[in-house]
Amino acid sequence: MERLEAAMAKARAARKATKEGDAPDHEPRQASQPETEPARAAPNARPDALWSGLKEISISNAQARKMRLGALMGAEFAVPYDILRTRVRRQMRAEGWKRLAVTSPNKACGKTTVSLNLALAMARQADLRVMLLDFDLRRPSLAGLMGQQGGAYDLAALLAGERDFSEHAVRFGPNLAIGLNRRAVPHSAEMLLAPSTASVLDEIESRFKPDVIIFDTAPMMGNDDNLAFLGQVDCALLVAAADSTSARQVDSSERDLSGLTNVLGTVMNKCRYLDERDGYGSEYY
Ligand SMILES: Nc1ncnc2c1ncn2[C@@H]1O[C@H](COP(=O)(O)OP(=O)(O)O)[C@@H](O)[C@H]1O
Ligand SMILES: [Mg+2]
């Protein structure tokens, strides 16, 4: 913990030293310089060719229903995610933000469910390139949600520069690229804070040129992963579970989150009154 705080303080001091003029609440991220070439050198391919070269996957209707992928089921199931998508997009575009973290006060609030639905809703806009990365390194679960249990997806190898994103990522439809993970990372905060993580992300962004990158991250409480990572994003959404997150937990997580990045709002998930038929829904404020 002390090492992390020292590293955060050092990073903050470095940013201050390069700052010009008045700083906004959260200074814009600085693109880091890759320290080393990635293991497999980036082909000089155009972004379109890179996207179409990613391994394509599909999600069955049964999987979509089982995992509450309302954004894929369409009709009224998609509406809350369409609204969330449009509000988030408007705000991010107005600010020129690209990187969005999805977090929650504690576990099982629906971060992964909301992240994937939001990414799917965004990707329905054909002119957007959307990326979704499983950055909850302690409890990776996006692969399971998408029915992709088979692959040996190793995010730690990607972040260490040992594997190229073009080999690691899968593609759903033409414009949604997803970085999955099947292995929990033991020293997750250290990995998130490592210079190689920052340079790998910058390199992915500069080659693939996504319009939005959504990070499904760890919960705010009970670990230091977001303290380590949120300096790498532009903004965040907090997902709270109506049936299990207390108002105090929401308040304190919002406060902590706003000390780390720009908070777009809180999604109240698992709201029974919003959908009487299956008893669940989401609301954004
Ligand atoms: N709106 C919802 N209504 C009911 N259950 C939900 C809803 N969203 C998510 N869940 C369920 O809650 C559990 C935790 O969701 P998940 O997205 O994995 O949370 P997290 O990523 O925050 O741990 C899963 O079993 C998921 O199916
Ligand atoms: Mg999760």
Side-chain angles (χ1 to χ4, degrees):
M1 190 65 189
E2 275 168 16
R3 261 194 316 137
L4 275 180
E5 278 169 1
M8 292 282 293
K10 202 169 148 198
R12 237 180 257 124
R15 276 212 305 272
K16 261 211 179 88
T18 56
K19 174 179 83 174
E20 284 177 11
D22 286 340
D25 282 351
H26 295 283
E27 293 166 32
R29 292 179 284 113
Q30 305 285 325
S32 63
Q33 290 300 316
E35 293 186 329
T36 51
E37 281 295 301
R40 267 154 277 250
N44 262 347
R46 287 155 39 89
D48 287 349
L50 286 172
W51 281 73
S52 60
L54 298 177
K55 179 183 154 202
E56 186 163 17
I57 56 145
S58 58
I59 300 174
S60 69
N61 289 341
Q63 182 76 10
R65 269 198 307 279
K66 184 171 149 206
M67 293 303 181
R68 299 188 171 83
L69 304 184
L72 272 189
M73 287 149 65
E76 72 270 31
F77 298 104
V79 171
Y81 295 110
D82 285 349
I83 295 171
L84 182 62
R85 177 230 14 227
T86 305
R87 288 186 176 173
V88 166
R89 256 313 275 164
R90 276 186 59 161
Q91 217 171 330
M92 288 181 74
R93 203 173 39 192
E95 302 285 354
W97 291 335
K98 268 200 180 150
R99 296 187 186 184
L100 167 73
V102 177
T103 184
S104 59
N106 35 23
K107 69 177 160 107
C109 290
K111 288 181 302 298
T112 306
T113 311
V114 169
S115 300
L116 179 54
N117 275 297
L118 180 59
L120 290 164
M122 283 188 179
R124 275 214 312 283
Q125 290 188 246
D127 58 331
L128 278 190
R129 285 199 193 107
V130 183
M131 267 185 191
L132 171 61
L133 305 180
D134 190 343
F135 260 55
D136 188 348
L137 300 191
R138 289 162 195 252
R139 292 175 186 268
S141 68
L142 198 52
L145 207 68
M146 299 179 68
Q148 301 297 312
Q149 280 90 344
Y153 305 106
D154 183 353
L155 198 80
L158 174 82
L159 297 182
E162 293 160 12
R163 202 165 157 80
D164 195 87
F165 191 68
S166 57
E167 296 166 329
H168 177 97
V170 295
R171 177 168 55 76
F172 181 80
N175 59 338
L176 172 56
I178 304 167
L180 297 173
N181 187 21
R182 295 287 302 156
R183 298 166 130 205
V185 179
H187 302 291
S188 46
E190 282 84 350
M191 172 117 249
L192 292 166
L193 208 50
S196 69
T197 295
S199 59
V200 164
L201 290 176
D202 288 345
E203 194 246 349
I204 292 171
E205 193 177 315
S206 75
R207 277 168 64 208
F208 284 78
K209 305 218 177 311
D211 297 288
V212 182
I213 310 180
I214 299 171
F215 296 88
D216 176 18
T217 67
M220 294 298 291
M221 290 161 36
N223 68 83
D224 53 359
D225 286 14
N226 284 340
L227 187 61
F229 179 62
L230 291 181
Q232 303 272 338
V233 302
D234 300 308
C235 53
L237 265 182
L238 190 70
V239 178
D243 61 356
S244 61
T245 317
S246 70
R248 252 173 72 187
Q249 288 172 329
V250 173
D251 280 352
S252 86
S253 297
E254 274 182 346
R255 211 172 27 249
D256 291 348
L257 193 55
S258 66
L260 296 169
T261 188
N262 301 291
V263 184
L264 294 187
T266 297
V267 175
M268 196 50 80
N269 192 28
K270 307 191 186 182
C271 301
R272 286 174 180 274
Y273 67 89
L274 284 177
D275 188 338
E276 308 260 293
R277 275 157 316 127
D278 70 4
Y280 297 106
S282 301
E283 188 185 22
Y284 175 76
Y285 68 87

